[in-house]
């Protein structure tokens, strides 16, 4: 269930900044039609940091409703407060999701022992699988492979989204966990190499824009057809870089707006619309890759 291409789904908003649920439904249907293996609702790309709990829970609930059991939905449920993360885990567990994505606490800079205590407490409160999320470029704190291995012994912790971009980190983690522990890439630029080294899939920002290609990349890699997978990756590699020239999800939302999939590229403050040069650049890359 947790292998392949999972889309780190944006949360569309209207001109007033309210959640655009019609746009959300359109996006969910777009990904189902294009072969995505699953969705991640209200993770980093879904602007989890600026959605209050009631909206966060409602967006996840509606995403599950729109998915109609056709593909699994993972809910972002992390927080820098363990108590808040447990609250979200308990509330989101009632929405029909397949599992949780729980990020390393940000700003606090917890020790490795603190991370172990944090995630074990969350997993104890969970009735569904928990996927760890390590993204030190955002959280500052970096969850080490030894910590992952200890947490992997908890029956409810079944995998990790590794957004370090380090293939060596993947290998170090693989050496310490069982083969059935799911390791997903959280870095699109290195995703092909990650998959070729035994990663099980991706939680992808690029998949917002080219879901069929990201799904095909994962399918080919899973079948051991790495030459063909590399060719697919080369076709979209410019997007991996272009989508991150401003903080995620600024450019993904702009790209989806230009594709006509959402009616507004609005974001929650403190994020704002991209600079003119960024708009021009992403649109150029989209034309070159055949998206526009």
């Amino acid at each position: 269930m947790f292998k392949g291409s999972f889309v780190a789904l944006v949360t569309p908003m209207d001109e007033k900044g309210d959640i655009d649920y019609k746009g959300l439904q359109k996006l969910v249907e777009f990904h189902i039609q294009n072969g995505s293996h699953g969705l991640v609702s209200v993770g980093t790309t879904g602007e989890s940091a600026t959605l209050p709990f009631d909206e966060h829970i409602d967006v996840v609930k509606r995403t599950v409703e729109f998915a109609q059991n056709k593909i699994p939905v993972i809910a972002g449920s992390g927080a820098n407060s363990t108590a808040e993360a447990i609250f979200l885990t308990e509330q989101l567990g009632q929405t029909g999701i397949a599992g949780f994505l729980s990020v390393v606490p940000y700003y606090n800079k917890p020790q490795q022992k603190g991370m172990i205590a944090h995630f074990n407490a969350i997993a104890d409160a969970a009735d569904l699988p928990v996927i760890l999320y390590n993204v030190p470029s955002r959280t500052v704190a970096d969850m080490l492979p030894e910590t992952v291995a200890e947490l992997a012994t908890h029956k409810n912790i079944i995998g990790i989204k590794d957004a370090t971009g380090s293939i060596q980190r993947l290998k170090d983690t693989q050496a310490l966990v069982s083969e059935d522990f799911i390791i997903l890439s959280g870095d699109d630029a290195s995703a092909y190499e990650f998959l070729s080294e035994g990663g099980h899939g991706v939680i992808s920002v690029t998949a917002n824009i080219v879901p069929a290609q990201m799904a095909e990349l994962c399918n080919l890699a899973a079948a051991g057809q790495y030459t063909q997978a590399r060719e697919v990756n080369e076709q979209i590699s410019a997007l991996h870089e272009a989508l991150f020239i401003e903080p995620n999800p600024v450019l993904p939302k702009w790209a989806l707006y230009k594709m006509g999939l959402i009616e507004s590229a609005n974001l929650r403050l403190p994020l704002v619309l991209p600079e003119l040069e960024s708009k021009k650049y992403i649109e150029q890359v989209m034309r070159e890759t055949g998206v526009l």
Side-chain angles (χ1 to χ4, degrees), residues 97-162:
I97 59 170
F100 306 99
L101 181 68
S102 193
V103 70
V104 168
Y106 41 89
Y107 192 78
N108 312 55
K109 297 177 67 174
Q111 317 97 308
Q112 298 298 310
K113 287 184 178 179
M115 294 181 200
I116 291 169
H118 173 82
F119 286 114
N120 276 331
I122 291 168
D124 286 343
D127 293 325
L128 295 167
V130 175
I131 298 172
L132 308 171
Y133 178 18
N134 189 35
V135 55
S137 63
R138 285 183 177 266
T139 63
V140 181
D142 182 8
M143 183 162 48
L144 300 179
E146 293 78 10
T147 301
V148 176
E150 182 164 345
L151 287 167
T153 63
H154 195 293
K155 64 182 178 65
N156 288 338
I157 297 177
I158 57 92
I160 184 170
K161 174 185 176 182
D162 183 338

Side-chain angles (χ1 to χ4, degrees), residues 213-224:
Q213 291 91 325
M214 288 303 297
E216 184 182 11
L217 171 61
C218 290
N219 289 337
L220 289 168

Side-chain angles (χ1 to χ4, degrees), residues 57-269:
I57 294 164
D58 197 47
V59 170
V60 170
K61 187 182 300 182
R62 299 292 290 277
T63 302
V64 171
E65 175 188 324
F66 297 146
Q68 300 179 22
N69 292 318
K70 294 178 180 178
I71 53 175
V73 176
I74 297 171
S77 60
N80 62 331
S81 160
T82 304
E84 289 184 2
I86 289 173
F87 172 79
L88 274 174
T89 298
E90 292 173 341
Q91 296 298 310
L92 293 169
Q94 303 173 34
T95 61
I97 59 170
F100 306 99
L101 181 68
S102 193
V103 70
V104 168
Y106 41 89
Y107 192 78
N108 312 55
K109 297 177 67 174
Q111 317 97 308
Q112 298 298 310
K113 287 184 178 179
M115 294 181 200
I116 291 169
H118 173 82
F119 286 114
N120 276 331
I122 291 168
D124 286 343
D127 293 325
L128 295 167
V130 175
I131 298 172
L132 308 171
Y133 178 18
N134 189 35
V135 55
S137 63
R138 285 183 177 266
T139 63
V140 181
D142 182 8
M143 183 162 48
L144 300 179
E146 293 78 10
T147 301
V148 176
E150 182 164 345
L151 287 167
T153 63
H154 195 293
K155 64 182 178 65
N156 288 338
I157 297 177
I158 57 92
I160 184 170
K161 174 185 176 182
D162 183 338
T164 62
S166 167
I167 302 304
Q168 186 58 52
R169 176 61 64 90
L170 166 65
K171 293 178 179 179
D172 292 344
T173 302
Q174 287 171 322
L176 297 174
V177 298
S178 64
E179 290 185 3
D180 60 353
F181 187 77
I182 303 296
I183 308 180
L184 304 170
S185 170
D187 177 68
D188 285 318
S190 59
Y192 162 72
E193 189 176 0
F194 190 98
L195 293 167
S196 68
E197 291 291 343
H200 298 105
V202 298
I203 295 179
S204 168
V205 174
T206 304
N208 279 283
I209 315 305
V210 285
Q213 291 91 325
M214 288 303 297
E216 184 182 11
L217 171 61
C218 290
N219 289 337
L220 289 168
Q225 299 178 29
Y226 297 114
T227 300
Q228 296 93 322
R230 185 176 64 249
E231 291 172 355
V232 172
N233 187 61
E234 288 173 351
Q235 294 168 13
I236 59 175
S237 59
L239 280 172
H240 299 329
E241 182 178 336
L243 289 168
F244 290 93
I245 59 174
E246 292 201 28
N248 179 43
V250 174
L251 270 304
K253 276 196 162 181
W254 184 259
L256 289 167
Y257 168 67
K258 297 303 294 185
M259 293 167 70
L261 288 169
I262 56 177
E263 294 188 4
S264 166
N266 270 4
L267 304 111
R268 287 281 168 87
L269 289 172

